[in-house]
Amino acid sequence: MEFYRILSATLLSLLFLTCNASNSKLFREYIGAESNSMKLSDVPINSKVEFHFILAFAIDYTDDNHPSPTNGKFNVFWETNHLGPGQIGSFKGSNSNVKIAVSLGGDSVGSGKAFFAPKSKTSWVQNAVSSLTYMIIKYHIDGIDIDYEHFKASPEMFAECIGQLITILKKSGTISFASIAPYEEINSHYLALWRKYGHVIDYVNFQFYAYDKLSVSHFISNFKKQASNYEGGLLLASFESGGGGGLKPANGFFEACNELKDQGKLGGIFIWCAEESKNKGFQYEKKSQDLLAA
């Protein structure tokens, strides 16, 4: 009798795990792009989630008054006043559930767009591996996020350069995870990358706030569409705290997240960005983490 009771309990547990196989307690937030006064300690952190700060951005452009492409030689473009090596190392030392990623690319550099513009696959990958390895070690970084939004290269070239970069950095132990940050209009480049190198990509930070205003049902349908596009990936729900489109917290974002969580489909939540959340008292960071931790 005891055997059957244990067997029944085990089967129920397995069923629960299967139904919730794609849920995670991962919360991610971009930081460093819009203010030189932001500190990691400003943002509330729930000890029951895995928390990733994503430094925005490192860009393969010159860091002068007239930025120009450097063919994979990355420079720091996030605000380092409070996000330097010492502050990051110390903060990670006292917060065991916090990891740091650096986002590559972004929308703009200086007054212009930040283009993915390799001269050749081999030279870009060599330069990127070298410059990023140095940066990652110096700043105590754990992973990279790919957020190029403008391209002077084909989807195939993008896929090979980025896919090889991630593969090499992972094989060397330089990074432990990688993510991508696509949105609908640039999906062709990111799907080319996903189809060939999806096995080395851990998280999909899909920019749902790049859509026009969404209802709860439209958000969920778009989420499921992208989950199909990036099948097998851990897909995160997202919103922009200071503007943008998509589905806002005030209009049902957390309702949608709870529904996705009930279906075992919520791969986490990310927010753009800490600077825009500060004047709101980080209320949605707290709510997001509470939802994931529950």
Side-chain angles (χ1 to χ4, degrees):
M1 194 71 176
E2 180 68 9
F3 169 78
Y4 289 109
R5 185 189 66 77
I6 295 172
L7 179 62
S8 177
T10 302
L11 289 172
L12 284 171
S13 296
L14 288 172
L15 179 62
F16 176 81
L17 288 170
T18 301
C19 290
N20 291 276
S22 296
N23 286 336
S24 84
K25 295 183 178 181
L26 176 62
F27 177 79
R28 317 185 86 202
E29 178 138 49
Y30 289 85
I31 190 170
E34 298 183 4
S35 170
N36 63 7
S37 65
M38 278 295 304
K39 300 176 182 179
L40 299 175
S41 57
D42 290 338
V43 184
I45 295 172
N46 187 322
S47 62
K48 295 180 180 179
V49 305
E50 180 174 347
F51 195 113
H52 292 184
F53 281 110
I54 305 176
L55 302 170
F57 293 93
I59 313 174
D60 54 331
Y61 271 65
T62 56
D63 55 354
D64 52 32
N65 292 331
H66 302 285
S68 59
T70 58
N71 190 39
K73 296 178 182 178
F74 281 86
N75 288 302
V76 170
F77 280 85
W78 71 84
E79 297 288 351
T80 58
N81 193 32
H82 296 290
L83 299 172
Q87 295 97 328
I88 291 173
S90 175
F91 192 80
K92 285 177 64 181
S94 57
N95 293 273
S96 61
N97 65 320
V98 170
K99 294 181 180 179
I100 305 294
V102 59
S103 190
L104 310 184
D107 175 61
S108 61
V109 56
S111 59
K113 295 178 179 179
F115 283 93
F116 177 73
K119 291 183 178 178
S120 73
K121 179 180 67 178
T122 300
S123 62
W124 189 93
V125 172
Q126 288 176 344
N127 289 337
V129 168
S130 176
S131 60
L132 287 172
T133 297
Y134 174 80
M135 184 186 299
I136 286 164
I137 293 171
K138 179 179 179 179
Y139 285 90
H140 309 284
I141 290 167
D142 303 289
I144 61 173
D145 174 64
I146 309 301
D147 190 21
Y148 282 102
E149 301 183 5
H150 308 286
F151 305 91
K152 291 184 177 179
S154 67
E156 293 72 26
M157 174 67 90
F158 176 71
E160 285 302 322
C161 288
I162 299 300
Q164 289 188 26
L165 171 65
I166 295 171
T167 300
I168 292 168
L169 292 178
K170 279 195 164 185
K171 282 187 175 179
S172 67
T174 306
I175 61 171
S176 58
F177 61 83
S179 59
I180 56 176
Y183 55 92
E184 190 72 56
E185 286 75 15
I186 57 174
N187 251 350
S188 60
H189 279 75
Y190 283 89
L191 287 173
L193 171 61
W194 183 260
R195 281 191 288 268
K196 188 163 184 181
Y197 289 98
H199 61 284
V200 296
I201 298 167
D202 301 279
Y203 315 117
V204 180
N205 280 15
F206 198 88
Q207 299 182 49
F208 289 102
Y209 45 84
Y211 285 112
D212 291 335
K213 184 177 179 181
L214 296 172
S215 65
V216 170
S217 61
H218 285 139
F219 182 91
I220 290 173
S221 65
N222 277 302
F223 187 97
K224 291 180 177 179
K225 174 186 175 183
Q226 300 308 330
S228 176
N229 282 336
Y230 296 95
E231 187 175 0
L234 202 62
L235 179 65
L236 283 75
S238 63
F239 65 90
E240 183 177 346
S241 53
L247 182 60
K248 294 290 189 182
N251 297 327
F253 176 80
F254 293 109
E255 178 187 340
C257 285
N258 275 314
E259 185 170 333
L260 290 167
K261 187 178 180 183
D262 288 344
Q263 297 173 15
K265 299 181 184 298
L266 184 63
I269 296 171
F270 83 87
I271 298 176
W272 177 278
C273 60
E275 288 85 349
E276 295 178 7
S277 294
K278 190 171 184 179
N279 64 0
K280 299 180 176 67
F282 299 105
Q283 59 177 311
Y284 297 131
E285 280 77 359
K286 296 172 186 174
K287 192 166 183 177
S288 295
Q289 292 175 77
D290 288 344
L291 184 153
L292 293 169

